[in-house]
Amino acid sequence: MIKVENLQKTYQMGDVLVRALKGVSIEVKKGEFVAIMGPSGSGKSTFMNIIGCLDQPTDGSYILDSQEVAGMDDDELAAVRNRKIGFVFQTFNLIPRRPALRQVMLPMLYDSSYTNSEERARAALERVGLGERIDHKPNELSGGQQQRVAIARALVTDPVIVLGDEPTGNLDTRTSEEIMAIFQALHCEGKTVVIVTHEEDIAKHAQRVIHFRDGHIISDEKVEHPLNAIAVLASLPVEEENEHF
């Protein structure tokens, strides 16, 4: 599903060249659930932006779903992103005055080939447990509910890969597990899932954990017994629940 070879990214900061990625090579198979970890400045966010078609590498190859995307122009990247990638951000990136239904319909406005967009958006919100919140605006939703809207928006175009950039970073323990339960359900349905996280407990929900440091991959390990988010939720004390869904 994802194959990168000798991926490099260099930024110009004033008179200084910053090498964010230094020849990264990796393959993620269809249907895998992968977590990416690393300290600030390790290159993990740069890597995520490139595989999410939000940025281009300085050098190297990136094949997504059998298609070479390195070297594409902005319009071509946007088309690939809209069709094949669902991106979930830490900060939700919701439009303040739009209700949940319109938030989720947004990706389909950029491609006239999508039909029944409102019906698809309703189904996506129901899928993440927000069928009764379609008319609520972001300020009327909890943090966890806002993240669910963001996940529904990422899923509405039926992407082949779902990316999460610190998807639980702003959430409490119970809500984080609820979000991870959604990601694990997507993985069980056959979606390829890749998340960036700085939380080891969150990374342990994945099948595989890749660590970045100084623009390199320093380890790539299989998780023998991934945490089951539903089981973790069942073990949490009721008093830890701060948000209701």
Side-chain angles (χ1 to χ4, degrees):
M1 183 57 64
I2 293 172
K3 184 177 181 180
V4 301
E5 293 184 345
N6 193 33
L7 204 66
Q8 301 183 46
K9 182 65 179 182
T10 302
Y11 295 99
Q12 182 83 42
M13 298 185 67
D15 295 330
V16 179
L17 287 177
V18 178
R19 297 182 63 202
L21 294 177
K22 304 172 183 177
V24 169
S25 297
I26 195 169
E27 186 170 349
V28 176
K29 295 180 181 179
K30 182 178 180 180
E32 275 196 287
F33 186 174
V34 178
I36 297 173
M37 300 192 72
S40 178
S42 64
K44 64 184 188 299
S45 294
T46 299
F47 177 77
M48 183 66 98
N49 285 339
I50 290 174
I51 66 171
C53 293
L54 297 172
D55 198 0
Q56 278 281 39
T58 305
D59 199 3
S61 171
Y62 171 28
I63 297 173
L64 171 63
D65 195 23
S66 303
Q67 182 179 16
E68 176 64 73
V69 296
M72 285 186 174
D73 62 29
D74 289 345
D75 290 341
E76 290 171 326
L77 285 175
V80 171
R81 196 164 58 238
N82 188 262
R83 277 288 175 181
K84 295 189 175 184
I85 299 170
F87 215 125
V88 181
F89 299 91
Q90 177 180 357
T91 53
F92 318 140
N93 286 5
L94 301 180
I95 300 172
R97 294 182 178 83
R98 288 202 176 194
L101 184 66
R102 299 298 171 186
Q103 306 271 1
V104 177
M105 289 174 63
L106 191 60
M108 295 179 286
L109 299 179
Y110 299 102
D111 190 333
S112 60
S113 66
Y114 289 110
T115 58
N116 303 320
S117 58
E118 183 170 327
E119 181 180 332
R120 291 174 67 119
R122 287 177 182 271
L125 284 165
E126 288 173 1
R127 187 178 185 183
V128 298
L130 288 181
E132 297 180 356
R133 302 274 184 162
I134 62 172
D135 295 320
H136 287 63
K137 297 175 183 176
N139 64 356
E140 300 170 327
L141 299 170
S142 69
Q145 289 167 341
Q146 290 184 60
Q147 190 61 294
R148 285 171 180 254
V149 172
I151 293 172
R153 182 181 59 195
L155 298 179
V156 74
T157 58
D158 193 26
V160 295
I161 180 172
V162 179
L163 305 178
D165 188 3
E166 298 281 5
T168 63
N170 290 332
L171 305 176
D172 62 46
T173 300
R174 177 171 290 276
T175 309
S176 294
E177 290 297 334
E178 290 172 337
I179 296 303
M180 292 310 298
I182 294 174
F183 279 109
Q184 288 187 325
L186 292 171
H187 168 239
C188 288
E189 292 169 12
K191 295 288 186 188
T192 304
V193 181
V194 181
I195 65 168
V196 164
T197 182
H198 66 276
E199 301 171 88
E200 289 191 10
D201 286 348
I202 293 298
K204 289 177 182 177
H205 290 75
Q207 295 176 305
R208 178 179 169 196
V209 180
I210 300 170
H211 283 85
F212 276 66
R213 184 179 295 276
D214 298 329
H216 297 282
I217 292 174
I218 61 169
S219 67
D220 184 348
E221 300 174 340
K222 180 180 178 180
V223 179
E224 293 295 337
H225 302 289
L227 291 177
N228 183 302
I230 298 298
V232 175
L233 279 167
S235 72
L236 292 176
V238 175
E239 59 266 25
E240 286 195 27
E241 185 169 1
N242 296 323
E243 299 179 337
H244 303 276
F245 297 90

